Amino acid sequence: MGVARRTSVAALCAGLVATLFTTGPARAEQDAHAWAVSGPERTTASPAPRARVSLDDTTGKLSLAVSRGGRTVIEPSPVGIVTEQADFSQDLRFLHRKDRMVDERYRTKSGKRLERRALMNETRLSFATPEGARLDLVVRASADGVAYRYVLPAAYGDVLGETSAFRLPSDANAWLGTYRVDNEGQFAPYTAASAPTGEYSDQALFETDGGYTLLAESDLTGTYSGARLAHDQGTGTYRIKLADDRVRTDGPLATPWRAMVTGDLTTVTRSTFTDDLARASKVADTTWVRPGTVLWTWLAGGRPAGQSLAAQKTYVDYAAERNWPYEAVDAGWYFKADAWDTTDPDWQANSWLPELVDHARAKGVGIIVWIHQRELDTPEERAQWLPTLERWGVKGVKIDFMDSEKQPMLQWYDAILKETAAHHLMVNFHGSTIPKGMQRTWPHVMTLEGVAGEEKRTNTAVHLTTLPFTRNVIGSMDFTPGAFQRVGLRPNSDAAEVGLAVTYESGFQMLAGTPESYDARPLARAFFEQIPAAWDDTRLLTGRPGQEAVLARRDGDRWFLGGVYAGAARTAEVPLSIGPGRWLVETIRDGADGLVQDRQVLRGGDTFTVDVVTNGGFAAIACPWKPGVTTCYR
């Protein structure tokens, strides 16, 4: 072998060794002052995102940028946290790096799909202040997202705030919801810089040349404080603002994940990234956790119906006829004048709820009950209510009016989640935070409001067509569709209202209509009788935030389709991207005199058309077709 050849081979080997030692399992790259980590690649058509952390030589400040396929997702953005005893936002020096791969398989009880795999590359970067205080910045990258969190290995006092922010190109399209403590702000379109000065929900969607990015948060517990986005008009910067001015800590701390779900719209809507980041289930036996359709009549009857045993029995009977597994009793059932006197030892004996539960059980229907958070805000109150409801046979609780993401309320969530699980009570939170990974850790949480839902009288069609790309990406959303009786109070058509039961995912799909409104629309009623509340798969067929959204969700060998549109009437074109073969597609749309149904046989991949009215939509069921198959309904 010649000298030149031996030299080139030696150089090649040395290069390979150097590559092995610098990339590691997390595929991280680094130079003297920057470190990068990329998500596992799945397809070349949809490249995985790449995070790059940089340390400024002069200021000692950290920043993080995200790209995808070499294109901008998030511009270099500040990273830092400040505590009573240490400032981790500047003057940092690098200590060391550790890489690993996270590969977890888990199964959920509800959501976009039941079987999940969390596959992420992780890099832990350690830094120190001049005084020797240590900060670990943990960065994870998957095929559909990037996230980071701060880990303080020692106690450095209470957290006074973060310098974390997200910088977007000024002209990036943005869909933002004004922040409210109940997370019920409406979503509207802006550009990153043109959005008015104010505070926005942290579930903000942006479109850059790197695709779409939904900002999010995961693994939020009572050890920290909820986040929102603060923005000054004229800039593309969105700062993390905590609900508390001071976050109490008493030892080492791992903050929630600051997450960026990113990719094309198909990737973003299908993503379970915020669940993947969260901690594993704390409920060992989940056999009692059963998602399902719920008949909920509050929007029609209000408190008088909630106070009437006779009315509730009628609703139970109607749910049983539809094979709906649950009926919800809202506010009023435990009110006697102003409220029950729970200090009276006979207060529980005065309730008619056990009689209703027995009536419902005989018909195969479970009862969900509404209860105000103030009735459960102390350990003593929870010790009264929760065992009693379990003993009566109630299946779940709808807890309302938390209206805060401050640390004390998050600590209450920690307590109530553990205790409702112990008493086999499924949960629907209203006036609440949003899931943020909660449904993986606590799988008995079937749904959360945290949305400007059907109850609102000012919703727009733009808002309705934005929710599938923002709030509902994060987790189950109790929008409560099906309120046909609210004509004039909702912005959409009857067919769109049917479609929302598919377009919007919820482990408890609370149908907000009345028996009379369903009987007047037998096609809608028959569709609702078919629909499940847990899905094997989810796909976006077509969509654009604020304009249209058509989602397909699979249950066994059937696909359920829901479409919602904003704007003028049109003939919508929908690709049937649900798999090869021939499919029978039964579509419900708006006709001149009410809902109508169409049937056609199509091949997977074909484009089918649906006539959509102004601010309208449609619903459909598709099943494998063969000669003799005439309907997908069972």
Side-chain angles (χ1 to χ4, degrees), residues 313-350:
K313 283 185 174 181
T314 300
Y315 297 146
V316 165
D317 295 346
Y318 194 82
E321 292 169 4
R322 311 274 80 76
N323 289 317
W324 293 337
Y326 301 108
E327 192 264 338
V329 183
D330 215 283
W333 69 270
Y334 64 81
F335 285 84
K336 185 178 183 182
D338 292 329
W340 290 110
D341 179 6
T342 56
T343 63
D344 179 354
D346 295 326
W347 75 272
Q348 295 170 356
N350 293 324

Side-chain angles (χ1 to χ4, degrees), residues 334 369-373 375-376 385 389 397-400:
Y334 64 81
V369 297
W370 179 94
I371 189 167
H372 199 295
Q373 187 271 342
E375 308 290 348
L376 300 168
W385 280 103
L389 295 174
V397 286
K398 175 182 174 181
I399 309 174
D400 207 345

Side-chain angles (χ1 to χ4, degrees), residues 27 37-51 66-71 73 119 121 141-146 210 262-264 267:
R27 298 177 60 193
V37 57
S38 299
E41 296 284 1
R42 291 185 180 173
T43 67
T44 55
S46 183
R50 178 177 184 268
V66 180
S67 60
R68 181 171 165 266
R71 297 179 179 274
V73 171
L119 182 63
N121 292 324
S142 74
D144 56 356
V146 167
T262 188
D264 56 24
T267 299

Side-chain angles (χ1 to χ4, degrees), residues 289-492:
V289 179
R290 298 174 182 173
T293 303
V294 186
L295 176 61
W296 178 66
T297 58
W298 171 261
L299 291 187
R303 180 167 292 177
Q307 291 175 321
S308 170
L309 173 61
Q312 293 301 320
K313 283 185 174 181
T314 300
Y315 297 146
V316 165
D317 295 346
Y318 194 82
E321 292 169 4
R322 311 274 80 76
N323 289 317
W324 293 337
Y326 301 108
E327 192 264 338
V329 183
D330 215 283
W333 69 270
Y334 64 81
F335 285 84
K336 185 178 183 182
D338 292 329
W340 290 110
D341 179 6
T342 56
T343 63
D344 179 354
D346 295 326
W347 75 272
Q348 295 170 356
N350 293 324
S351 176
W352 47 254
L353 191 64
E355 181 179 344
L356 178 66
V357 173
D358 290 342
H359 175 81
R361 184 188 297 113
K363 293 177 176 287
V365 176
I367 296 297
I368 313 297
V369 297
W370 179 94
I371 189 167
H372 199 295
Q373 187 271 342
R374 68 186 173 213
E375 308 290 348
L376 300 168
D377 62 355
T378 69
E380 294 76 18
E381 289 170 332
R382 294 193 292 274
Q384 282 187 318
W385 280 103
L386 300 182
T388 300
L389 295 174
E390 181 186 25
R391 185 175 67 254
W392 286 349
V394 169
K395 298 299 182 183
V397 286
K398 175 182 174 181
I399 309 174
D400 207 345
F401 293 113
M402 284 67 73
D403 292 340
S404 173
E405 292 180 305
K406 291 188 175 182
Q407 189 177 24
M409 185 58 72
L410 296 177
Q411 291 169 342
W412 174 87
Y413 276 106
D414 292 344
I416 198 71
L417 286 165
K418 181 179 180 180
E419 293 173 25
T420 49
H423 291 289
H424 291 180
L425 292 169
M426 292 177 284
V427 179
N428 173 358
F429 286 121
H430 265 233
S432 65
T433 184
I434 57 177
K436 301 184 178 182
M438 181 189 294
Q439 289 181 280
R440 178 183 180 187
T441 308
W442 300 102
H444 66 299
V445 178
M446 292 288 92
T447 192
L448 299 88
E449 189 181 27
V451 64
E454 193 76 83
E455 291 181 88
K456 296 293 179 283
R457 296 170 180 257
T458 57
N459 278 347
T460 66
V462 169
H463 172 66
L464 266 56
T465 54
T466 305
L467 289 174
F469 308 103
T470 51
R471 164 65 180 86
N472 211 192
V473 172
I474 305 302
S476 290
M477 178 178 77
D478 195 20
F479 184 90
T480 67
F484 296 111
Q485 73 277 8
R486 291 172 66 83
V487 175
L489 298 178
R490 53 182 171 86
N492 58 342

